[in-house]
Amino acid sequence: MNPLPFSARFARPGWLLAGALFLLSLGGSWALFGPERNGAAADADDTLQVVYHINADDPALHLNALRNLQNHIDGSGMDRLEIKVVMHGGGVSLLQYANEEPDLRATVDTLKMQDVRFLVCGNTLDKRGIGLDDLYDAQPEDRVPSGIGELTRLQRAGYTYIKP
């Protein structure tokens, strides 16, 4: 069997179609990630929407992540930010530890007073048998059906994703 010469292999319609699709995908990526979305550059005074993702069962990480979040607020101004913290898996332990850890509890309280929303994954709560009353200051409206689903929804709505 004689393989086709190099020039003949790339003259096939399949290669042309693949190349065209590749170039279109590059153009589509620029539209999604470029400096201008929806035809207009972001205004410096626009509200910044941010979602913090916490899924680790680590009290030191929790406290550090929340301190970083406070630094974010201090650096940008709360009037310019809309922040949500989505916890799933081991991350729901943040609000369990806050029941017993005064520093963590005080940090959660301070952030909530600045309108930071703490959202917990309903799937995790159900699978681990955790009730909202087991979580520090958790309300029914803080429960979302799926933590990953909520992260996806928020990112599609324009929220910037941060994983501390």
Side-chain angles (χ1 to χ4, degrees):
M1 178 168 127
N2 290 334
L4 292 173
F6 182 78
S7 61
R9 282 185 285 181
F10 286 96
R12 290 184 179 168
W15 285 105
L16 181 60
L17 179 60
L21 289 174
F22 175 74
L23 291 174
L24 283 173
S25 72
L26 288 178
S29 297
W30 179 253
L32 290 174
F33 302 112
E36 295 185 4
R37 289 176 50 183
N38 298 328
D43 186 353
D45 294 328
D46 284 351
T47 298
L48 304 172
Q49 297 175 307
V50 183
V51 60
Y52 280 77
H53 177 195
I54 299 179
N55 66 341
D57 181 3
D58 181 349
L61 181 139
H62 297 159
L63 194 54
N64 190 51
L66 296 183
R67 285 182 180 149
N68 286 338
L69 200 156
Q70 183 63 58
N71 290 340
H72 191 167
I73 293 169
D74 294 344
S76 298
M78 191 58 223
D79 57 323
R80 293 195 56 236
L81 290 172
E82 183 179 326
I83 299 178
K84 297 183 181 186
V85 177
V86 175
M87 298 162 285
H88 70 94
V92 300
S93 65
L94 183 153
L95 295 179
Q96 289 176 306
Y97 292 131
N99 280 322
E100 300 167 8
E101 298 292 330
D103 286 344
L104 189 57
R105 183 170 49 250
T107 304
V108 168
D109 287 339
T110 299
L111 292 169
K112 283 188 171 192
M113 286 189 290
Q114 297 172 89
D115 295 323
V116 173
R117 293 273 324 271
F118 288 80
L119 305 173
V120 294
C121 174
N123 288 335
T124 298
L125 298 180
D126 292 344
K127 288 181 182 175
R128 297 184 180 197
I130 300 169
L132 285 175
D133 55 335
D134 297 321
L135 305 175
Y136 178 70
D137 197 29
Q139 306 301 317
E141 60 270 15
D142 299 330
R143 180 185 170 119
V144 295
S146 164
I148 294 295
E150 186 68 7
L151 286 168
T152 302
R153 187 187 72 73
L154 290 171
Q155 288 178 76
R156 289 193 64 168
Y159 279 71
T160 298
Y161 172 87
I162 296 179
K163 176 82 166 97

